[in-house]
Amino acid sequence: MKKVSSIITIFVIVIIASLIVWKVGTPNLISKNKENTTEKVSKKVEKELKKTKKKKEISKAKSSTTETSSSVESEPSSESSSESASSVSSYQSNVKFPALQNYAGKTYYAVDRDSAEYPQMFSTSFTITSDGETIIMDDVQEPIEYVRTGKFGPVQLGGGPVFVFEFSPLGSSDEVEVVNQGQYLTYSTTMPE
């Protein structure tokens, strides 16, 4: 009976010892498996990166050869188009609003202002600055924030909370007719005598 009980205790001790060894050894095995797995994955990723780099280099080489050939062919046409675009932009780039191109930089003087029904409604002169950003009326400068043009040539300038100024060309840009609350007055670039 003592032999059987001693055998059982030895057997139990062996089982407990093997459980302890298994518990302690399992995390090491798991971490080794993880390391092996990450190494394999990183190697695969490196291989894929190398493949894609090679493909990109090949496609870059192909595209650079086609780009050089196409750029050589299109050089004359691009030069002529850029020249024409620059000449157009230099004509219009110095004026903020293209509708003011013909009027910018000119001073207009009231023609026979005293004959108007309400002369105080009209300034003696006005100037649209050469950049088209401001209008000067009787030495008062107002910023132009918007420009609207009508079907038959009237030009309306506006800015600030209350500033509105409207005129229409009379034959040429050297003579215009200013409209103010239903009243009209002619202005000319030539100063009246």
Side-chain angles (χ1 to χ4, degrees):
M1 197 69 168
K2 285 182 180 180
K3 284 184 180 179
V4 173
S5 68
S6 65
I7 290 174
I8 291 175
T9 48
I10 291 173
F11 185 69
V12 170
I13 291 171
V14 168
I15 289 175
I16 292 173
S18 63
L19 284 174
I20 291 172
V21 168
W22 180 75
K23 274 284 190 188
V24 170
T26 302
N28 291 338
L29 289 175
I30 291 173
S31 66
K32 284 182 183 178
N33 285 340
K34 284 184 181 177
E35 287 175 7
N36 289 341
T37 308
T38 54
E39 284 178 20
K40 288 178 183 177
V41 169
S42 64
K43 285 180 183 177
K44 284 184 180 179
V45 169
E46 285 178 18
K47 285 181 183 178
E48 290 297 319
L49 286 174
K50 286 179 183 177
K51 285 181 184 178
T52 54
K53 282 183 183 177
K54 285 181 183 177
K55 287 180 182 178
K56 285 182 181 178
E57 288 174 1
I58 291 170
S59 66
K60 281 183 184 177
K62 286 181 181 177
S63 65
S64 66
T65 56
T66 56
E67 282 177 9
T68 53
S69 63
S70 65
S71 65
V72 168
E73 291 172 3
S74 65
E75 275 180 9
S77 62
S78 66
E79 284 178 8
S80 61
S81 65
S82 66
E83 285 174 7
S84 62
S86 66
S87 64
V88 169
S89 63
S90 67
Y91 176 68
Q92 292 180 347
S93 65
N94 53 356
V95 177
K96 183 177 180 181
F97 301 100
L100 299 178
Q101 182 71 42
N102 296 332
Y103 311 102
K106 295 181 180 178
T107 301
Y108 292 89
Y109 303 96
V111 177
D112 201 16
R113 180 174 178 253
D114 295 331
S115 68
E117 190 175 347
Y118 301 103
Q120 67 275 12
M121 293 176 64
F122 298 98
S123 63
T124 55
S125 68
F126 72 90
T127 305
I128 297 173
T129 56
S130 58
D131 57 8
E133 292 186 11
T134 56
I135 184 170
I136 303 165
M137 295 179 292
D138 292 333
D139 298 326
V140 177
Q141 192 169 350
E142 295 283 348
I144 299 171
E145 293 178 5
Y146 69 87
V147 173
R148 294 189 183 116
T149 55
K151 290 180 182 178
F152 304 107
V155 179
Q156 186 184 60
L157 316 175
V162 293
F163 164 64
V164 176
F165 187 80
E166 186 174 348
F167 64 90
S168 299
L170 294 174
S172 72
S173 62
D174 291 335
E175 269 197 348
V176 296
E177 187 174 54
V178 173
V179 183
N180 189 357
Q181 299 177 12
Q183 302 293 316
Y184 297 88
L185 186 65
T186 303
Y187 282 74
S188 175
T189 54
T190 346
M191 185 182 281
E193 295 176 2

